[in-house]
Amino acid sequence: MNVRINAHRFPILFGLLLLIAAPAAAQKGAIAGVVVDTETGETLIGANVLIDGTMNGATTDFDGHYEIKGIDAGRYTVVFSYIGYSPVTVTDVEVIAGQTVRLDMTLSAETIGLDEVVVEARALKNTEASLLRERQKATAVSDAISAEAISRSGSGDAAGAMTKVTGASVVGGKYVYIRGLGERYSSTQLNGSSLPSADPDKQAFQLDLFPASLLDNIVTTKTFTPDKPGAFTGGLVNVGTKNFPDAFTLQFTTSSSYNDQSSLADNFISYDLGNLDWLGYDDGDRDIPAIFNDPNLVIPTEIEARFDPAKAELLDNVSRAFRPEMEPTVARAPVNSGFSMAFGNQIPLAGRPLGFTASLTYNRSTSFYNNGNAGRYELVGGTVQQIDQLTALRDLSDTRGSQEANWGGVATLAYKIHPKHELSATYLRTQNGTSDTRYLEGFWQDLSGNSTFQTRVLGYQERSLNSLQLKGQHAMGPMQAEWRASFSKNEQNEPDLRYFSNHYTVNGTDTTFQKPASLYPSPARFFRKLDEQNNEFGLDLTVPFRLAGLSSKVKFGGSYGDVSRAFSERRFEYRTGSGFSYGSFAGDNNAFFSSVGIIGTSTAGRPQFGNYITDASALKSNYTGDQTVAAGYLMTDLLLTRKLRFIGGVRLESTRMTTQSADTTLAVGRLSNDDVLPSVNLVYALTDNMNLRAAVTQTLARPTFRELAPYSTFDFVGDFVFSGSSTLKRTLITNYDLRWEWFTRPGEIIAVSGFYKAFENPIERVILTSVGNNSMSIQNVPTGRVVGAEFELRRRLDALVPALENVEIGGNLALVHSEVDIPEEELVVIRAADANPSTTRPLEGQSPYVVNVDLTYQKPEWGSVASIYYNLFGDRLRVVSEGAAPDIFERARGTVDFIYAQRIWRGVSLKFAVKNLTDSDALMSQSFKDVDYIYQKYESGRTYSLSFTYKVE
């Protein structure tokens, strides 16, 4: 296929590309890098960098960054100097025309008798030096991944890169669990500002929205310091994007993938798709019909309509307003596809550098399984000692088809108005649309022995996130100031979510279809909408000082966050008219739901109705939520000796959170807490490249609006109905951490960590069998504990066998034991059915172990990188069963991925990947007397992908 583009038809586009690409054509070279303090790892502002023998030089900015442009090709000597620090001279720096040489440097404070340091540039070829130094000198226990490491791993986005972090597991390719703790205990930031979740029912952000090409680094902080938000316990993930590219960069990637279970499947289930589903938008076909937007509308009953012609016409009109499809259709599934584009540059504006980066990603994917199972079981009929097995409530075969369109864009503009003053703005936009179709069939306890239950779900969910972040950094004499403001809006829309259930009975050759509403809900259509606004403001001030000749600093500041949410739901149910029977359609559901409104007249001349619509909306299903968090902190970073460092302080967070149902008879969910969160971190440098760290901190975890709201939802008819609880409390966690870390060589590390966490009022989901067999809610339990150890290794194997210089092995292991104390009132209920129950259970969402192993072979001169990754997590508690019934666990699952990347020629590369090679089952179950009872089980299949990337630098 040949594609021709006429530049004359697109003058603006080509002019823009020429403008941003022009600097790349320069025939001179440049030197750029970062200058940091050897002792603290902090960047140095105002350090001088000079090419020896010339007047060509630069001064480091607020980020410690410098750049010297317009250098002729050749070899040079570069001198670094800063008041109070020993100068460093770097010899034999080679500059190549059209390229930027990266030269990072560390400076040490002057001491008596210390002369100028002279080093050779050939010894400074580690482009990860500044990031590794930052991790080594960090105030808290942290793990960091550089852009170079991400590129070598073949990771296409931030979520893929996070699989290398010690104790991290990636759930659903998007959500990151740190140290085995669930999403409630992790937070995500973009360049230091909090990110709201694109899924309003989750705490975690979707990290797959960030393409690897725009990442500068990802830093995961595992211990709390007062300048960070207090609402994280597992980890705080900060995604750093590139503000100031050293040179023009442009990258295009296109990809396609094939899943051996869903792609091109002929039995894929779906339903009527909108014309804009491919863009993640509903085109309006699923919108609530206009007739229902009349605030004065009162839908008459069938009896009223039979005796009033005007009401009969109205009931007929509203009943015919909906599209009749309530049954899944069978179609051929497409192949997954995607593309991404990213570019960035730095241009002069009024004599000062203006940097900009932007990216756009798009993916369309399909998932499908027809071999799933869904079961619901309970303990009835006696004590645990007397009962041999659980009683089945539901045992259903499960088929599910999903089509998802997901796109996102990130743009950053940064302007250095002065070497000591910088302003930046980042805009993030995501859009996600998912069409989900599900069909379940099988045993239902309430039906007679030879009857089979059937239920269907036809749904579409549209989610979007808009986020604008403004940031300023200023150096005013010795004091540094940083301010930030972010404005984010989440929207989630579920138009025309449809549920329909029935059962049938086979007697010989006769099959009878029924749908008695007394056993399960009538066919229904839901329209749900959620809007959430999140605003955050923060200010940090840092004052450096020297104590006993050593660098130290005081840092103080505050932040304010305001979140507001509005949720609304309308529900419409189908009723069958007098004399109208579902059984007469013999299972032809399309014909049944096409028979709506007036279908004839009686012998008395009155209208007869088939299916007709009633408004079953409930006030309690609508709620609003508001949350404000105001915080202030004070901390100090002291070098007590050249080897011992103290980082400590306190943070005060004041939280006010409410959820209010539109049904004013329901209780208001409230949180009102003023929390003092102390933090003490000690770092002892055993050697220049070896640290011993210890920390004692306090953090917290808050419930979500959804968990505080009285609103009820379920995934399918017969599933557990989840309701929030207005009495939830926030969780307080006291954390103890210890780590030994050895940075053996650039890019290598050996580390061993231990941690203990004490929880007060941890939050967990629980099945309320005392309320009803299908009721689920959320509760606090009094206390909980987590103790664990982490082991991390990343080494190039040439240290063992010189011939293996191109092979790198990495791995990390987290071993964790968790338990919460079962409340005494719950133990009373449990002991009625179990004479010897355990008084503890695991913390919800906690994995007892997480394993990540990777083996990478790279041949830079060939442009080849091959990697294999293995991830395994242990059984983690997902739902607590009330009483003596066994709890529901997500069972251990291991996955193996293979990635091969190859540079074909300059700027063009190919990547082939196979994900989930083992194709292990996703399984949730409860175990009773050595028998597993399935809660949910399905296979996701293996995915084979191929992508091409073209990159200009």
Side-chain angles (χ1 to χ4, degrees), residues 556-613:
F556 57 96
S559 64
Y560 179 81
D562 179 15
V563 183
S564 60
R565 172 183 288 195
F567 179 86
S568 62
E569 176 187 274
R570 296 193 69 181
R571 173 178 177 172
F572 301 93
E573 292 185 351
Y574 285 93
R575 297 285 191 266
T576 53
S578 302
F580 183 72
S581 171
Y582 172 71
S584 63
F585 286 84
D588 188 344
N589 297 314
N590 291 325
F592 174 70
F593 284 103
S594 295
S595 301
V596 293
I598 300 173
I599 59 173
T601 57
S602 66
T603 55
R606 297 188 178 94
Q608 287 186 314
F609 287 86
N611 286 305
Y612 63 91
I613 290 292

Coordinates of all heavy atoms in Angstrom, one line a residue, residues 556-613:
F556 N 9.0 23.1 55.1 CA 7.7 23.3 55.7 C 6.7 23.7 54.6 O 7.1 24.2 53.6 CB 7.7 24.3 56.9 CG 8.2 25.6 56.5 CD1 7.3 26.7 56.2 CD2 9.6 25.9 56.6 CE1 7.8 27.9 55.9 CE2 10.1 27.2 56.2 CZ 9.2 28.2 55.9
G557 N 5.4 23.5 54.8 CA 4.5 23.9 53.8 C 3.1 23.3 54.2 O 2.8 22.9 55.3
G558 N 2.2 23.3 53.2 CA 0.9 22.8 53.4 C 0.2 22.5 52.1 O 0.7 22.8 51.0
S559 N -1.0 22.0 52.2 CA -1.8 21.7 51.0 C -3.3 21.7 51.4 O -3.6 21.6 52.6 CB -1.4 20.3 50.4 OG -1.7 19.2 51.3
Y560 N -4.1 21.8 50.4 CA -5.5 21.8 50.5 C -6.2 21.1 49.4 O -5.9 21.4 48.2 CB -6.1 23.2 50.7 CG -7.6 23.3 50.8 CD1 -8.2 23.1 52.1 CD2 -8.4 23.5 49.7 CE1 -9.6 23.1 52.2 CE2 -9.8 23.5 49.9 CZ -10.4 23.4 51.1 OH -11.7 23.4 51.3
G561 N -7.0 20.1 49.7 CA -7.7 19.4 48.6 C -9.2 19.4 48.8 O -9.7 19.3 50.0
D562 N -10.0 19.6 47.8 CA -11.4 19.6 47.8 C -12.0 18.7 46.7 O -11.7 18.9 45.6 CB -11.9 21.1 47.6 CG -13.4 21.2 47.7 OD1 -14.1 20.2 48.2 OD2 -13.9 22.2 47.3
V563 N -12.8 17.7 47.2 CA -13.4 16.8 46.2 C -14.9 16.8 46.4 O -15.4 16.8 47.5 CB -12.9 15.3 46.5 CG1 -13.5 14.4 45.4 CG2 -11.4 15.3 46.4
S564 N -15.7 16.9 45.3 CA -17.1 16.9 45.4 C -17.6 15.9 44.3 O -17.1 15.8 43.2 CB -17.7 18.3 45.1 OG -17.3 18.8 43.8
R565 N -18.6 15.1 44.7 CA -19.2 14.1 43.8 C -20.7 14.2 43.8 O -21.3 14.4 44.8 CB -18.7 12.7 44.3 CG -19.4 11.6 43.5 CD -19.0 10.2 44.1 NE -17.6 9.9 43.7 CZ -17.1 8.6 43.8 NH1 -17.9 7.6 44.2 NH2 -15.9 8.4 43.4
A566 N -21.3 13.9 42.7 CA -22.7 13.8 42.5 C -23.0 12.5 41.7 O -22.5 12.3 40.7 CB -23.3 15.0 41.8
F567 N -23.9 11.6 42.3 CA -24.3 10.4 41.6 C -25.8 10.3 41.5 O -26.5 10.6 42.5 CB -23.8 9.2 42.4 CG -24.2 7.9 41.8 CD1 -23.4 7.3 40.8 CD2 -25.4 7.2 42.2 CE1 -23.8 6.1 40.2 CE2 -25.7 6.0 41.6 CZ -24.9 5.5 40.6
S568 N -26.3 10.0 40.3 CA -27.7 9.8 40.1 C -28.0 8.5 39.4 O -27.2 8.0 38.6 CB -28.3 11.0 39.3 OG -27.7 11.1 38.0
E569 N -29.2 8.0 39.7 CA -29.6 6.7 39.0 C -31.1 6.8 38.8 O -31.9 7.2 39.6 CB -29.3 5.5 39.9 CG -29.8 4.2 39.3 CD -29.6 3.0 40.2 OE1 -28.5 2.5 40.2 OE2 -30.6 2.7 41.0
R570 N -31.5 6.4 37.6 CA -32.9 6.1 37.3 C -33.1 4.7 36.8 O -32.2 4.1 36.1 CB -33.4 7.1 36.2 CG -33.4 8.5 36.6 CD -34.2 9.4 35.7 NE -35.6 9.1 35.8 CZ -36.5 9.8 35.1 NH1 -36.2 10.7 34.2 NH2 -37.8 9.5 35.2
R571 N -34.2 4.1 37.3 CA -34.4 2.6 37.0 C -35.8 2.4 36.5 O -36.8 3.0 37.1 CB -34.2 1.8 38.3 CG -34.6 0.3 38.2 CD -34.3 -0.4 39.4 NE -34.7 -1.8 39.4 CZ -34.5 -2.7 40.3 NH1 -33.8 -2.4 41.4 NH2 -34.9 -3.9 40.2
F572 N -35.9 1.7 35.4 CA -37.2 1.4 34.8 C -37.3 -0.1 34.7 O -36.4 -0.8 34.2 CB -37.3 2.1 33.4 CG -37.2 3.6 33.4 CD1 -35.9 4.2 33.2 CD2 -38.3 4.4 33.7 CE1 -35.8 5.5 33.3 CE2 -38.1 5.8 33.7 CZ -36.9 6.3 33.5
E573 N -38.5 -0.6 35.1 CA -38.8 -2.0 35.0 C -39.9 -2.4 34.0 O -40.8 -1.5 33.8 CB -39.2 -2.6 36.4 CG -38.0 -2.5 37.4 CD -38.4 -3.2 38.7 OE1 -39.6 -3.5 38.9 OE2 -37.5 -3.4 39.6
Y574 N -39.8 -3.6 33.5 CA -40.9 -4.1 32.6 C -41.9 -4.8 33.4 O -41.6 -5.6 34.3 CB -40.3 -5.0 31.5 CG -39.6 -4.3 30.4 CD1 -38.2 -4.1 30.5 CD2 -40.2 -3.9 29.3 CE1 -37.5 -3.5 29.4 CE2 -39.6 -3.3 28.2 CZ -38.2 -3.1 28.3 OH -37.5 -2.5 27.3
R575 N -43.2 -4.6 33.1 CA -44.3 -5.4 33.7 C -45.0 -6.0 32.5 O -45.0 -5.5 31.4 CB -45.2 -4.5 34.5 CG -44.6 -3.9 35.7 CD -44.4 -4.9 36.8 NE -44.1 -4.2 38.1 CZ -42.8 -4.0 38.5 NH1 -41.8 -4.4 37.7 NH2 -42.5 -3.4 39.6
T576 N -45.6 -7.2 32.8 CA -46.4 -7.8 31.7 C -47.9 -7.6 31.9 O -48.4 -7.6 33.1 CB -46.2 -9.3 31.7 OG1 -46.4 -9.9 33.0 CG2 -44.7 -9.6 31.3
G577 N -48.6 -7.2 30.9 CA -50.0 -6.9 31.0 C -50.9 -8.1 31.3 O -50.4 -9.2 31.1
S578 N -52.1 -7.8 31.7 CA -53.0 -8.8 32.0 C -53.3 -9.7 30.8 O -53.6 -9.2 29.7 CB -54.4 -8.2 32.5 OG -54.1 -7.4 33.7
G579 N -53.2 -11.0 30.9 CA -53.4 -11.9 29.8 C -52.2 -12.1 28.9 O -52.3 -12.8 27.9
F580 N -51.1 -11.4 29.2 CA -49.9 -11.4 28.4 C -48.9 -12.3 29.1 O -48.6 -12.1 30.3 CB -49.4 -10.0 28.2 CG -48.2 -10.0 27.3 CD1 -48.3 -10.2 25.9 CD2 -46.9 -9.7 27.8 CE1 -47.1 -10.1 25.1 CE2 -45.8 -9.6 27.0 CZ -45.9 -9.8 25.6
S581 N -48.4 -13.4 28.4 CA -47.6 -14.4 29.1 C -46.2 -14.5 28.4 O -46.1 -14.6 27.2 CB -48.3 -15.7 29.0 OG -47.4 -16.8 29.5
Y582 N -45.2 -14.5 29.2 CA -43.8 -14.7 28.7 C -43.7 -16.2 28.2 O -43.0 -16.4 27.2 CB -42.8 -14.5 29.8 CG -41.4 -14.9 29.5 CD1 -40.6 -14.2 28.6 CD2 -40.8 -16.1 30.0 CE1 -39.3 -14.6 28.2 CE2 -39.5 -16.4 29.7 CZ -38.8 -15.7 28.8 OH -37.5 -16.1 28.5
G583 N -44.4 -17.1 28.8 CA -44.3 -18.5 28.4 C -44.8 -18.7 27.0 O -44.3 -19.7 26.3
S584 N -45.7 -17.9 26.5 CA -46.2 -18.1 25.1 C -45.2 -17.8 24.0 O -45.5 -18.1 22.9 CB -47.5 -17.2 24.9 OG -47.1 -15.9 25.0
F585 N -44.1 -17.2 24.4 CA -43.1 -16.9 23.4 C -42.0 -18.0 23.2 O -41.1 -17.8 22.4 CB -42.4 -15.5 23.7 CG -43.3 -14.3 23.4 CD1 -44.2 -13.9 24.3 CD2 -43.2 -13.7 22.2 CE1 -45.1 -12.8 24.1 CE2 -44.0 -12.6 21.9 CZ -45.0 -12.2 22.9
A586 N -42.1 -19.0 24.0 CA -41.3 -20.2 23.9 C -39.8 -19.8 23.9 O -39.0 -20.4 23.1 CB -41.7 -21.0 22.7
G587 N -39.4 -18.8 24.7 CA -37.9 -18.5 24.7 C -37.5 -17.5 23.7 O -36.3 -17.2 23.6
D588 N -38.4 -17.0 22.8 CA -38.0 -16.0 21.8 C -38.0 -14.6 22.5 O -39.0 -13.9 22.4 CB -39.0 -16.0 20.6 CG -38.5 -15.2 19.5 OD1 -37.6 -14.3 19.7 OD2 -39.0 -15.3 18.4
N589 N -36.9 -14.3 23.1 CA -36.9 -13.0 23.9 C -36.9 -11.8 23.0 O -37.5 -10.8 23.5 CB -35.6 -13.0 24.7 CG -35.6 -14.2 25.7 OD1 -36.5 -14.4 26.4 ND2 -34.4 -14.9 25.8
N590 N -36.4 -11.8 21.8 CA -36.5 -10.6 21.0 C -38.0 -10.3 20.6 O -38.4 -9.2 20.6 CB -35.7 -10.8 19.7 CG -34.2 -10.8 20.0 OD1 -33.7 -10.1 20.8 ND2 -33.5 -11.7 19.2
A591 N -38.7 -11.4 20.4 CA -40.1 -11.2 20.1 C -40.9 -10.7 21.3 O -41.8 -9.9 21.2 CB -40.7 -12.5 19.5
F592 N -40.5 -11.3 22.4 CA -41.2 -10.9 23.7 C -41.0 -9.4 24.0 O -42.0 -8.7 24.3 CB -40.7 -11.8 24.8 CG -41.2 -11.3 26.2 CD1 -42.5 -11.6 26.5 CD2 -40.4 -10.8 27.1 CE1 -43.0 -11.2 27.8 CE2 -40.8 -10.4 28.4 CZ -42.1 -10.6 28.7
F593 N -39.8 -8.9 23.9 CA -39.6 -7.5 24.2 C -39.9 -6.5 23.1 O -39.9 -5.3 23.3 CB -38.1 -7.3 24.6 CG -37.8 -7.8 26.0 CD1 -37.2 -9.0 26.2 CD2 -38.2 -7.1 27.1 CE1 -36.9 -9.5 27.5 CE2 -38.0 -7.5 28.4 CZ -37.3 -8.7 28.6
S594 N -40.3 -7.1 21.9 CA -40.8 -6.2 20.8 C -42.3 -6.0 21.0 O -42.9 -5.1 20.4 CB -40.5 -6.9 19.5 OG -39.1 -6.9 19.2
S595 N -42.9 -6.9 21.8 CA -44.3 -6.7 22.1 C -44.5 -5.8 23.3 O -44.7 -6.2 24.5 CB -45.0 -8.1 22.4 OG -44.8 -9.0 21.3
V596 N -44.5 -4.5 23.1 CA -44.6 -3.5 24.1 C -45.7 -2.6 23.8 O -46.2 -2.4 22.7 CB -43.3 -2.7 24.2 CG1 -42.1 -3.6 24.7 CG2 -42.9 -2.1 22.9
G597 N -46.2 -2.0 24.9 CA -47.3 -1.0 24.8 C -48.6 -1.7 24.5 O -48.8 -2.8 24.9
I598 N -49.4 -1.0 23.7 CA -50.8 -1.5 23.4 C -50.6 -2.6 22.2 O -50.0 -2.3 21.2 CB -51.7 -0.4 22.9 CG1 -51.9 0.6 24.0 CG2 -53.0 -1.0 22.4 CD1 -52.7 1.9 23.6
I599 N -51.1 -3.8 22.5 CA -50.9 -4.9 21.5 C -52.3 -5.3 21.0 O -52.4 -6.2 20.1 CB -50.2 -6.1 22.1 CG1 -50.9 -6.6 23.3 CG2 -48.7 -5.7 22.4 CD1 -50.3 -7.9 23.9
G600 N -53.4 -4.7 21.4 CA -54.7 -5.1 21.0 C -55.8 -4.5 21.9 O -55.5 -3.6 22.7
T601 N -57.0 -4.9 21.7 CA -58.1 -4.4 22.5 C -58.9 -5.6 23.0 O -58.9 -6.7 22.4 CB -59.1 -3.5 21.7 OG1 -59.5 -4.2 20.5 CG2 -58.4 -2.2 21.3
S602 N -59.5 -5.4 24.2 CA -60.4 -6.5 24.8 C -61.7 -6.5 24.1 O -62.1 -5.6 23.3 CB -60.5 -6.2 26.3 OG -61.2 -5.1 26.5
T603 N -62.5 -7.5 24.5 CA -63.9 -7.6 23.9 C -64.7 -6.4 24.4 O -65.7 -6.0 23.7 CB -64.6 -8.9 24.4 OG1 -64.5 -8.9 25.9 CG2 -63.8 -10.1 23.9
A604 N -64.3 -5.7 25.5 CA -65.0 -4.5 25.9 C -64.5 -3.3 25.3 O -64.9 -2.2 25.6 CB -64.9 -4.4 27.5
G605 N -63.5 -3.4 24.4 CA -63.0 -2.3 23.7 C -61.9 -1.5 24.4 O -61.5 -0.4 24.0
R606 N -61.4 -2.1 25.5 CA -60.4 -1.4 26.2 C -59.0 -1.9 25.7 O -58.8 -3.1 25.3 CB -60.5 -1.7 27.7 CG -61.8 -1.1 28.3 CD -61.8 -1.3 29.8 NE -63.0 -0.7 30.4 CZ -64.1 -1.3 30.7 NH1 -64.1 -2.7 30.5 NH2 -65.1 -0.7 31.2
P607 N -57.9 -1.1 25.8 CA -56.6 -1.5 25.3 C -56.0 -2.6 26.2 O -56.2 -2.6 27.4 CB -55.8 -0.2 25.5 CG -56.5 0.6 26.5 CD -58.0 0.3 26.4
Q608 N -55.3 -3.5 25.5 CA -54.6 -4.6 26.1 C -53.1 -4.3 26.0 O -52.6 -3.9 24.9 CB -54.9 -5.9 25.5 CG -56.3 -6.4 25.9 CD -56.6 -7.8 25.4 OE1 -56.2 -8.1 24.2 NE2 -57.1 -8.7 26.2
F609 N -52.4 -4.5 27.0 CA -50.9 -4.2 27.0 C -50.1 -5.5 27.1 O -50.5 -6.5 27.7 CB -50.6 -3.3 28.2 CG -51.1 -1.9 28.1 CD1 -52.3 -1.6 28.5 CD2 -50.2 -0.9 27.6 CE1 -52.8 -0.3 28.4 CE2 -50.7 0.4 27.5 CZ -52.0 0.7 27.9
G610 N -49.0 -5.4 26.3 CA -48.0 -6.5 26.4 C -47.0 -6.1 27.5 O -47.4 -5.9 28.7
N611 N -45.8 -5.9 27.2 CA -44.8 -5.4 28.2 C -45.1 -3.9 28.3 O -45.3 -3.2 27.3 CB -43.4 -5.6 27.7 CG -43.0 -7.0 27.9 OD1 -43.0 -7.6 29.0 ND2 -42.5 -7.6 26.8
Y612 N -45.0 -3.4 29.5 CA -45.1 -1.9 29.7 C -44.1 -1.5 30.7 O -43.7 -2.3 31.6 CB -46.5 -1.5 30.0 CG -47.1 -2.0 31.3 CD1 -46.9 -1.3 32.5 CD2 -47.8 -3.2 31.4 CE1 -47.4 -1.8 33.7 CE2 -48.3 -3.7 32.6 CZ -48.1 -3.0 33.7 OH -48.6 -3.5 34.9
I613 N -43.8 -0.2 30.7 CA -42.7 0.4 31.6 C -43.3 1.0 32.8 O -44.3 1.7 32.8 CB -41.9 1.4 30.8 CG1 -41.1 0.7 29.7 CG2 -41.0 2.2 31.7 CD1 -40.0 -0.1 30.2

